[in-house]
Amino acid sequence: MSSAIIASGLGGRSFKTLIRRSFIKSQPKVIGVAVAYVSVGGFDFMKNLAAEVAVDDCRLVTDTKDAVTHPNALRAALSDGWDVKVVDHLAGTFHPKLYVGGASFDDDDGIKDGCVVVTGSANLSLGALSRNAECSYIRFGDNIGASAGDAWRDCWGAGTELTEDILSSYEKYFALRNRSRSPPDLVALGVAEEMIPSTGGKPVQGISPPKDGAAIPNSAATVAWAGLQSFTGEYDLQVEFPRDAGDVLARMLKTVANGNTATVMCDDGLARQFLFRFYENNGMWRLNVPNDTPNANWARQNKDGIAVVEIGGEGQPVRFRVIQPGTDLVDVVDRSIALGTWGKTSTRLYGWY
């Protein structure tokens, strides 16, 4: 039997090293993870550790009330055959950080023949595993005591089985909560694994959009934006929204549309009629912006800024604005970069969230 209280990430070993060593030495056949928040990278680490130890059965229960746990991590867990439960009904946050292993799961005792328990401050995120200062109690050996199994049983019992319907609803909730979080907060919370350097709102050589892993699918997003470095239209401003951003744009506009005409609220408080249409030759949705829309003429003259279309929720108006270069523009662009919900053409950036 071995036990210790260990601080990690303070110039010594990382939490990643500590938990890996504990599970390799104890060789459990089942692993139970009960944590507040799970990131994509955090789950990938735990999945690989379970495979390394040759674990037979893996279970995860985590909070979704705070919209920090990444929906892609939950989807990956289901795809990998984990049993997954989520908690969103408590008065506060479901906030444990408990990692247990043993011979088998048991309805009465939680874990049969428990052989390892790790608990402390660390969520299942790349920050906790590799960067953060954490403190953990670790115990492994032939008998870790009944209390670890009891704690796991109670945590697991608090959860609701994750289904595709629940996950789809959570993706929409996750999108709404994270549209107002600042890019640095997304990184600090672990929603984003790592913030890439700010682009300043324009394409930067050497920075490429992710091929997959966007935090918010276009089916759940409520904001679409596109750079105004290039556009079409001789008499009005015609903004083209590529790919996923275009799909989000079309879905929002169709809620307030009559054919190809949508009623859109603008920054000056006036509702205007916007035309929108899909062009198969380039795979983009084109939005015709009335000339008297605030900042439309500025965009035509300066070929800069971004066009943003958003909707607050069901029954809410669709809103349009042109944002000139500055703090507000960088906030929109960098939020998409942090969430992995962006792309670029040769001249401009675009995104959704």
Side-chain angles (χ1 to χ4, degrees):
M1 177 67 66
S2 178
S3 63
I5 297 175
I6 302 175
S8 58
L10 294 170
R13 290 168 294 185
S14 66
F15 179 69
K16 178 179 180 178
T17 300
L18 293 174
I19 193 170
R20 180 174 178 271
R21 186 189 74 167
S22 300
F23 277 78
I24 287 176
K25 283 191 173 184
S26 56
Q27 292 291 304
K29 286 301 179 185
V30 301
I31 290 178
V33 179
V35 290
Y37 309 138
V38 184
S39 73
V40 172
F43 173 74
D44 284 345
F45 165 79
M46 205 68 205
K47 176 187 72 175
N48 292 335
L49 178 58
E52 184 178 5
V53 180
V55 172
D56 296 329
D57 191 357
C58 300
R59 298 184 181 182
L60 168 68
V61 55
T62 186
D63 176 83
T64 51
K65 185 177 181 179
D66 287 353
V68 173
T69 289
H70 203 301
N72 287 352
L74 298 178
R75 193 171 293 282
L78 289 178
S79 297
D80 204 56
W82 285 47
D83 291 326
V84 183
K85 289 186 175 183
V86 294
V87 185
D88 66 356
H89 62 278
L90 303 180
T93 300
F94 180 76
H95 213 250
K97 286 86 177 174
L98 177 66
Y99 306 79
V100 295
S104 63
F105 290 111
D106 182 86
D107 290 341
D108 295 324
D109 300 322
I111 294 281
K112 282 290 188 183
D113 300 324
C115 61
V116 59
V117 58
V118 179
T119 188
S121 63
N123 281 304
L124 190 54
S125 67
L126 280 186
L129 290 166
S130 303
R131 298 191 299 265
N132 297 351
E134 308 285 356
C135 190
S136 305
Y137 171 76
I138 301 173
R139 185 178 179 92
F140 57 87
D142 294 335
N143 184 6
I144 61 171
S147 61
D150 291 342
W152 162 255
R153 181 197 60 218
D154 292 344
C155 288
W156 183 247
T160 300
E161 181 183 358
L162 181 64
T163 64
E164 182 60 37
D165 286 345
I166 291 175
L167 181 52
S168 295
S169 295
Y170 177 59
E171 285 176 332
K172 295 176 182 178
Y173 174 66
F174 181 86
L176 284 172
R177 288 290 302 271
N178 284 291
R179 66 182 280 178
S180 60
R181 286 173 174 155
S182 71
D185 283 347
L186 292 173
V187 177
L189 288 168
V191 173
E193 303 281 20
E194 186 175 4
M195 188 69 187
I196 67 174
S198 176
T199 64
K202 298 180 180 179
V204 175
Q205 188 172 3
I207 298 179
S208 299
K211 294 181 180 179
D212 52 31
I216 298 170
N218 57 32
S219 60
T222 56
V223 177
W225 60 270
L228 293 170
Q229 286 74 34
S230 63
F231 47 83
T232 60
E234 183 177 353
Y235 300 108
D236 57 7
L237 181 65
Q238 297 178 357
V239 185
E240 292 184 323
F241 287 74
R243 303 174 201 171
D244 292 277
D247 291 341
V248 175
L249 170 79
R251 177 171 49 78
M252 290 188 293
L253 291 179
K254 286 176 181 177
T255 65
V256 292
N258 181 10
N260 288 328
T261 302
T263 303
V264 177
M265 189 68 64
C266 300
D267 265 357
D268 57 2
L270 298 179
R272 291 176 171 84
Q273 300 300 303
F274 284 60
L275 296 175
F276 67 104
R277 184 172 296 171
F278 180 71
Y279 287 80
E280 293 187 2
N281 63 318
N282 61 9
M284 296 187 186
W285 283 89
R286 184 177 297 169
L287 183 66
N288 287 45
V289 181
N291 288 326
D292 63 346
T293 301
N295 287 326
N297 285 328
W298 178 92
R300 288 173 62 85
Q301 294 170 7
N302 292 276
K303 292 189 175 180
D304 207 348
I306 60 174
V308 180
V309 181
E310 57 190 321
I311 189 169
E314 187 174 352
Q316 297 294 311
V318 175
R319 297 184 176 275
F320 174 88
R321 54 185 173 141
V322 171
I323 303 179
Q324 297 182 19
T327 302
D328 289 346
L329 182 150
V330 172
D331 183 67
V332 171
V333 174
D334 284 1
R335 183 176 295 107
S336 273
I337 290 172
L339 293 169
T341 55
W342 67 290
K344 67 177 181 178
T345 69
S346 60
T347 59
R348 61 201 180 102
L349 301 176
Y350 61 90
W352 67 98
Y353 53 81

